[in-house]
Every structure is written in structure tokens, then in C-alpha cells.
Amino acid sequence: MKYIDEFRDGALARKLVADLEIEAERLSRRVTLMEVCGTHTMAIYRHGLKPLFPEKVRLVSGPGCPVCVTPAGYVDMAITLARTPGVIITTFGDMLKVPGSQTSLVKERGAGRDVRVVYSPMDAVETAKSSPDKEVVFLGVGFETTAPSVAAAILTAKREGVKNFTVLASHKVMPEPMEALTKGELKIDGYICPAHVSAIIGERGYRRLAEVYGVPCVITGFEPLDMLRGVIMLVRQIAEGRAVVENEYFRVVKPEGNVKAQAILADVFEKSNAVWRGLGPIPDSGLAISPRYESYDAMKKFKLSEPDVRENPACLCGEILKGLKEPLDCGLFATACTPENPVGACMVSSEGTCAAEFRYGERSRANA
Amino acid sequence: MRDDMILLGHGSGGQMTHDLVNKVILPLIHEGREAPEQEDSTPLTLPTGEIRFTTDSYVVDPIIFPGGDIGDLAVNGTINDLAMGGAVPFALSLGFILEEGLLMDDFTKVLRSIGRAAREAGIQVACGDTKVVPRGRGDKIFINTSGVGLARNGLRPGSAAVRPGDRLIINGTVGDHGVTIMSMREGLKFESPVKSDTAALHTLVDALVKAGVEIRAMRDPTRGGLATVAVEIAEASGVHIRLDETAIPVNKHVAAACEILGLDPLMVANEGKMVLVTPERDAKKALDVMRSHPLGRDAAMIGEALETDGRAKVTLTSYAGGARMVNKLPGELLPRIC
């Protein structure tokens, strides 16, 4: 099938694995590569790629799952709104189970709050139009990938005069936390850059990482052959002492990205400081709704402020999101913390590192 | 009386219920056949021997979808529960819980499907019940079915009977039903040519039995998909099941939808699929039998049972040649955020 079968050719995959082994032989030491994006993490587990990487190439997972990095304080605000009479909460499905400090939206829904799963922010606008006596709040969570569709929903609501629609925005952008991680405790030798985010922002966003910090960056797609090629390109750069931004996913990602989406983002949002679950505050890593559209900002309309919530100290999500620890290092993994009853953020989303390990990992206890 | 929708009075037990049962339900379900007498219980003359008994409830939304509806799903699902146990389906019951406001057109469509599915399978609808709940207290229509079937002599398939060396065969593509339903869900609606695979599998089982295929285990991978059933078989029998991703048939539209939504086709529901586990010596014969049956044209050998290293498990060899664990569907299937 177009764009799937071509990238799942077993013979080609075996050849790429052999090529990778040859490239890795040129490395003078073991290198650590980070796949930033949760979809990459899930694909690596799902296609069983980890055992195929040579000893000298270590892959760690990064903070690129938008649900995982959404702070508990944000969930608490959403729950406050869900408990407000006359409010309908609309959200993407995988936000439902994210634990706040006391409860989660799925539990609130069970207790009778009006929490509805939608598949597009535009559906939330439609809900607002069909429920004029209610306030409809959409939970705006996600990176550069989902933010443009939320911006478009706000623009639609404004154009159509929908006054009972707001967004509780917790959007984040990707290059800034990558820079923060580069300056952090873990020595990252190369980044597998997120594919969907790159389709929006293009190659430009990662240039500082390569030029200022000397970290090679390769944008890759999600298919097994894409990822194997991307790792080969990274290993080759490291072996040759180069650090540039390369694009393996050129069939989707243009060097300049999606200019139209960038314009919508710049119109509706503005850069803000943001708190990342597990990583803490990172300057300029968030997208807040611009004052021009403040009547669509749930924070302002409902006069909310995000509480500072302490995480469970036994949970290692913060370390995992920084690539310092792996799921099996955590004492809660698959015992107190499971996808159905997650303690930490990495277990919540289907794209979280712990959820991937739980579902596909060699030593997962899900079968036990 | 408004005849275009279900009203609370249809569940009153009075004249409206009588009219609904006698003028709508029974003629459509028993079209061309004699309806059973309306007493508080129905006499059933079963052939002697061991019977198998099963029950299931159907709450699918939407109630009508490409490839079928909640009616044939309920009949086929109950037949399959009996057939997977090696039994010949004999009779079933139908309990309807209808929501006030259900369109009569939709209800009659479902009833016709029930009648057709039961007739084609040669199974008797022996008894039934109808209740109506106020609008908002149900979801259009819920159906509970119980079924009885006659066990075949000498055939008692079970997941615990699987042994190292056995082969796993599936009768066709996985994930069709789940993706069909998802494609119609409010807010998600995407164009898809995929149809539900809902079907009664007992004739396929008949063909395997007649051909002398030794059946160690049979399971229909409904909710939770192939992955969940494979793990349940491994756990029950204490073997290591190795699946081959390149051999598992997946409709290309299902594969594409799963990629977009971030779903694993192995965890998506099926309603007309069976996983057969048979000793290696019978695997080719089983595959040939399936492929010559209308419900098994895309049958494939998808894996084998191996000795364990001390722990029952399921692994999958991927397209890329790597290996990973296969686990049960952990909870609700939710499409990803980005």
C-alpha cells in the first residue's frame, strides 16, 4: 500500500540493519540517540526495532508525548471546569485518564460531569453551536501538530460569532525542550526529530541545536525503514564529526514547513513560558492564546490559575522524559502504575514511554 | 399510537406490547417459519448428549453499520460462541432493551437482520423479551442473547490444549469490524470502504471437522482483537506463541486507518474471524479447507506455538525482522492525540 508497504519491506530492513552495523563500527564509543516524539517511541517498540540496533547505538525516549508532559495542575483546572454547572468539557480521548492531583476526567465523567471526547477541535465548536445554553470548553493540548487546528477552531468560532466556546490552552512547542535537554545531565549525541511537528515547523527549528550545540538532528518518518535510515544518518554524522539538520522524511516535511499553519499559529497564539510535567518550567516553550482572542481563552473567561501540584515522589516519569531512566527502572511500573490506572504521565498516553514498554516491551509484566 | 418510533407504551405489557410483538417482531424474525407459542417458557426438544450454553449482550453504537447491524451481530456472535466450543448451534433467545424514541424503521431493519441471520444459520429463535426504557436511559437498542448448541462427540477444543509445535491459522483479515465502527463514530467519521466482517462461523467449523482436521483450540477474536486471544491461549496452555507480522492479513484500508489513529490492528475487534490452533501435520489441510470456504478465502497461517523459557508469552516477529511482545489490549481503544 502506498506509503505503508514500501516502508515495511523486510529484505530492505535487513539490509539497512546490516548497513547500520557497518556505520556503527566507525564510532569510537557508544552513542546515545534520543527519539523525541512519542509516536516514534511507540513505533520503535511496535516494530521490534530495539533489538536490531548495534551495541554501540543506544536509543532513549524523550518528552514528545503531549499528554505525558501536561502538568497535573492543568488537569485540576479542567476538573474544576468540569464541575462547574453548565460547562461541557470537550477533549481528545487520551486526556481522559491523565491523573490530576486527586482525580481524572474519566472518573469525573463517571460521576456525571459532562465530559465529551471529540476527534477535532472543530467538533467542539459544533457542540457549542448546538448547545447555546452551555459553555463549551475544549482542552487544547498538543505540540505544533495539533495547535494549528485549535487555532483554526478559534478563528471559526470568531467568524461565526460563537460566544460559548473557549479553549483551555496548554500547547507546547518542541525545539525549546530539546535545547533544555541538550544542556541537561544526559549527553545526547543525536536527535531523531519529531515527524509531525517537523511537517509544521520545517527544518529551521532544529538548526540551533546543530549549529550552537553541535548535536546532529535527523527528521524521520514513523515507518520502520524511515527510522532505520534516520539512525544510520545520525550515526554517520557522528562518525564523521558533523552536526547538521538532515531530513529523511522529505516526502512529507518541506524545509520551510507548513507556512500557512505557521501563520495561523502566529495569529492566534503567542510564545509563553510553560511547565512540562516531569521537566519543570521551560522558557518560551508554550503557546498561550493571544490577547487578540482572549474571549476564547478559558483561563481568562473563568478566571483560572494553574495550581502547582507535587508529583508522586516514587514516580520516575521526570527522569524517564529526560532520558535518564527507563520504565523498568521504576518501582511503580506495571504494579501500582498501569495504563488503566496510571500514576505517572508516561503511562497515561498510548504514546508514552512506559505505556509502550507495558504494551510491547520484552520484560513487560502485562502477560504475567 | 405513533408507529414511527418506539414509545414507553411498547414496553407496558399491554395492548401496545402485544401489537409490537405480534405485528412487528414475530413476523420479521420468523418470516416464512412458524413462530413459537407465546407462553412464559418455550419447550425445546434437544437431541441427547452434551449441550453448550452461552450468553452475550450487544450494545454497539452505531446500531446499523456497513456490513451489518446489531441484529445479525447478536445472532452471529452467539452462534460463534457456540461454534468455537465445537458445538452445533441449536436455538437462541433474544432480550431487547429499547430506548424510547428508537425509530421503528431502524428497529424493523434490525429485526429483519435477526430473522435472516437465524434462518441462514438454521437456528431457532426460541424465546424473547422486550422492555422499553425512557429516553436517555439506554442507547437506542441493547440486545441480550443466550444460545444452546449440541456438542460434537469427541470435540472439546480448549485453549489449554495447545502444545508446542501447533500452528495458528486465521480465516481472514483482522480489524475490519472495529475500524468500520470507528469510521462512523460521531466526530471521527472518515471515508472508508471497509465493511464489518460479521458472520456466523459454524459452517467453517463444520468443514474443518468433516475434513478431519484435528482442532486443539478455536477462538473468535472479538473485542481485544487477535492480540488478546493469542495471549489468552498462551496463558491457558503455558506456551510461547510466536506470530509473524508479515503473515497476518490486514485489509489495506484498515492498515491505513490504524496508522492514522495510532491503533494496532492486532488489538482491533473482529466479528467474523476465528483463530484455529491445529497440530503442524494438519495445518496445511486446515488452510486448504478454510481457503475453499467463503468465510476463509484470505485464511493464513500466522504463527506457531513453541516451548517456553518458563513463562507463557506471545511475541511477534515484525516486518523489520525485530521481535516484540504482544500483550492484551490494556483498556479502551482511544485514538491518539497527534
Side-chain angles (χ1 to χ4, degrees):
Chain A
M1 170 194 260
K2 208 174 178 205
Y3 288 154
I4 293 186
D5 284 353
E6 293 91 326
F7 297 92
R8 293 191 183 174
D9 181 314
L12 198 47
R14 283 188 289 280
K15 184 185 176 307
L16 287 173
V17 170
D19 289 350
L20 176 58
E21 275 166 15
I22 294 166
E23 275 313 324
E25 281 305 306
R26 300 166 64 199
L27 295 168
S28 56
R29 59 183 172 82
R30 192 172 192 222
V31 298
T32 298
L33 311 180
M34 177 178 273
E35 90 276 1
V36 179
C37 166
T39 312
H40 276 142
T41 301
M42 193 47 107
I44 286 165
Y45 275 97
R46 197 182 132 199
H47 298 298
L49 297 185
K50 269 204 169 166
L52 301 176
F53 293 128
E55 181 61 29
K56 278 186 176 171
V57 178
R58 174 184 177 229
L59 241 78
V60 297
S61 304
C65 159
V67 172
C68 301
V69 295
T70 299
Y74 173 86
V75 179
D76 284 355
M77 283 197 297
I79 287 164
T80 301
L81 283 174
R83 290 175 175 176
T84 306
V87 169
I88 300 172
I89 297 289
T90 52
T91 175
F92 292 133
D94 44 4
M95 277 302 293
L96 284 186
K97 286 185 244 164
V98 185
S101 60
Q102 306 290 331
T103 170
S104 65
L105 286 165
V106 76
K107 288 180 185 159
E108 291 296 307
R109 188 173 69 175
R113 323 290 179 204
D114 198 344
V115 179
R116 302 182 190 180
V117 171
V118 293
Y119 298 92
S120 148
M122 223 57 98
D123 296 337
V125 178
E126 289 303 316
T127 304
K129 282 158 70 175
S130 61
S131 314
D133 55 334
K134 303 270 186 180
E135 281 292 333
V136 175
V137 180
F138 177 74
L139 304 186
V141 168
F143 299 126
E144 291 95 331
T145 326
T146 42
S149 61
V150 176
I154 289 175
L155 292 174
T156 301
K158 183 171 186 179
R159 191 173 58 243
E160 299 184 2
V162 181
K163 303 216 180 292
N164 60 331
F165 169 76
T166 51
V167 174
L168 186 64
S170 183
H171 289 288
K172 294 183 169 59
V173 292
M174 208 63 247
E176 281 74 7
M178 290 167 75
E179 191 168 328
L181 284 169
T182 305
K183 290 188 276 193
E185 218 176 308
L186 178 74
K187 164 107 179 74
I188 295 167
D189 298 293
Y191 280 115
I192 296 175
C193 299
H196 290 150
V197 165
S198 303
I200 305 294
I201 68 172
E203 298 170 12
R204 180 173 46 92
Y206 312 107
R207 284 203 189 119
R208 257 177 75 80
L209 289 166
E211 289 166 8
V212 176
Y213 298 95
V215 184
C217 294
V218 175
I219 299 164
T220 85
F222 298 117
E223 293 301 323
L225 298 192
D226 282 320
M227 281 179 286
L228 287 169
R229 275 195 204 111
V231 172
I232 290 174
M233 288 161 79
L234 275 177
V235 169
R236 190 175 291 149
Q237 281 200 48
I238 298 165
E240 293 171 359
R242 294 184 294 122
V244 293
V245 180
E246 292 181 311
N247 183 6
E248 185 277 339
Y249 200 35
F250 54 87
R251 66 184 186 277
V252 171
V253 176
K254 294 180 195 157
E256 70 280 13
N258 183 334
V259 178
K260 197 175 164 192
Q262 290 167 18
I264 296 178
L265 282 181
D267 179 23
V268 176
F269 292 108
E270 57 183 26
K271 282 275 186 87
S272 65
N273 298 334
V275 177
W276 292 59
R277 195 169 199 161
L279 302 182
I282 300 175
D284 285 337
S285 66
L287 291 174
I289 295 173
S290 155
R292 288 190 297 281
Y293 296 94
E294 67 180 6
S295 57
Y296 300 95
D297 188 340
M299 294 275 283
K300 295 200 170 128
K301 189 167 194 172
F302 297 96
K303 298 184 175 53
L304 297 168
S305 60
E306 188 167 326
D308 188 15
V309 176
R310 273 176 59 84
E311 304 286 343
N312 181 331
C315 168
L316 294 190
C317 281
E319 308 288 287
I320 290 167
L321 289 166
K322 288 180 208 155
L324 296 171
K325 299 272 187 194
E326 299 198 13
L328 294 169
D329 296 329
C330 180
L332 305 180
F333 178 77
T335 52
C337 184
T338 65
E340 284 314 288
N341 196 11
V343 174
C346 299
M347 190 61 94
V348 175
S349 165
S350 61
E351 315 246 303
T353 311
C354 292
E357 177 69 45
F358 191 95
R359 195 190 276 196
Y360 296 129
E362 186 59 40
R363 287 173 53 206
S364 161
R365 276 163 270 183
N367 269 347
Chain B
M1 172 175 148
R2 289 169 64 190
D3 285 324
D4 59 341
M5 66 171 69
I6 293 291
L7 300 172
L8 279 173
H10 286 121
S12 66
Q15 187 62 42
M16 279 175 73
T17 308
H18 180 87
D19 289 347
L20 183 73
V21 170
N22 287 289
K23 294 181 181 166
V24 181
I25 296 177
L26 291 179
L28 290 173
I29 288 182
H30 296 285
E31 198 177 350
R33 297 200 293 183
E34 193 183 340
E37 287 176 21
Q38 290 180 57
E39 300 292 340
D40 286 341
S41 60
T42 300
L44 268 186
T45 307
L46 286 165
T48 52
E50 183 180 275
I51 65 160
R52 290 189 83 98
F53 183 43
T54 185
T55 190
D56 209 342
S57 299
Y58 297 83
V59 296
V60 65
D61 174 36
I63 59 170
I64 296 167
F65 44 80
D69 58 51
I70 191 170
D72 47 33
L73 199 67
V75 174
N76 292 339
T78 299
I79 289 172
N80 291 346
D81 285 344
L82 294 168
M84 293 302 104
V88 179
F90 187 80
L92 59 76
S93 70
L94 285 170
F96 295 114
I97 295 175
L98 309 177
E99 186 189 16
E100 180 188 24
L102 170 69
L103 296 178
M104 199 61 87
D105 279 353
D106 287 347
F107 187 42
T108 53
K109 185 171 189 322
V110 168
L111 291 168
R112 276 197 188 90
S113 292
I114 290 171
R116 190 170 48 245
R119 204 163 46 247
E120 285 173 6
I123 186 169
Q124 180 186 349
V125 179
C127 55
D129 176 55
T130 305
K131 295 283 188 300
V132 180
V133 294
R135 191 187 272 267
R137 300 277 183 85
D139 191 6
K140 295 183 275 293
I141 177 168
F142 299 147
I143 302 178
N144 173 267
T145 60
S146 292
V148 287
L150 188 71
R152 288 183 178 87
N153 280 339
L155 180 59
R156 288 196 71 159
S159 297
V162 174
R163 295 287 170 265
D166 288 354
R167 296 291 191 266
L168 275 77
I169 295 172
I170 194 156
N171 62 317
T173 53
V174 298
D176 298 44
H177 178 75
V179 164
T180 302
I181 296 298
M182 226 170 278
S183 73
M184 295 185 72
R185 286 265 160 90
E186 198 57 44
L188 193 58
K189 290 175 181 148
F190 54 87
E191 296 272 328
S192 171
V194 184
K195 287 197 303 190
S196 169
D197 59 343
T198 176
L201 295 165
H202 60 305
T203 59
L204 187 55
V205 176
D206 285 342
L208 291 163
V209 170
K210 282 191 185 117
V213 170
E214 184 176 343
I215 295 169
R216 286 267 167 77
M218 285 186 288
R219 295 290 308 276
D220 58 338
T222 53
R223 292 173 308 149
L226 173 61
T228 302
V229 157
V231 173
E232 285 172 358
I233 293 173
E235 285 175 348
S237 56
V239 299
H240 168 194
I241 289 176
R242 185 168 62 199
L243 299 173
D244 176 0
E245 188 174 24
T246 58
I248 298 171
V250 186
N251 175 297
K252 63 181 183 177
H253 299 290
V254 170
C258 286
E259 285 303 313
I260 292 164
L261 300 171
L263 305 176
D264 184 344
L266 268 56
M267 291 187 173
V268 179
N270 312 277
E271 290 293 346
K273 291 294 153 10
M274 63 178 284
V275 176
L276 170 75
V277 189
T278 185
E280 184 189 3
R281 63 174 183 278
D282 281 357
K284 187 175 177 313
K285 182 162 62 178
L287 207 50
D288 290 343
V289 169
M290 278 199 183
R291 285 178 177 164
S292 61
H293 190 282
L295 294 175
R297 276 194 291 266
D298 297 321
M301 189 138 65
I302 56 171
E304 60 184 328
L306 306 167
E307 296 280 356
T308 58
D309 50 5
R311 185 184 150 206
K313 62 180 176 182
V314 180
T315 60
L316 176 131
T317 307
S318 78
Y319 286 93
R324 59 133 161 123
M325 296 288 285
V326 174
N327 289 312
K328 290 177 197 160
L329 172 69
E332 198 182 345
L333 266 186
L334 290 170
R336 68 170 168 227
I337 193 166
C338 73

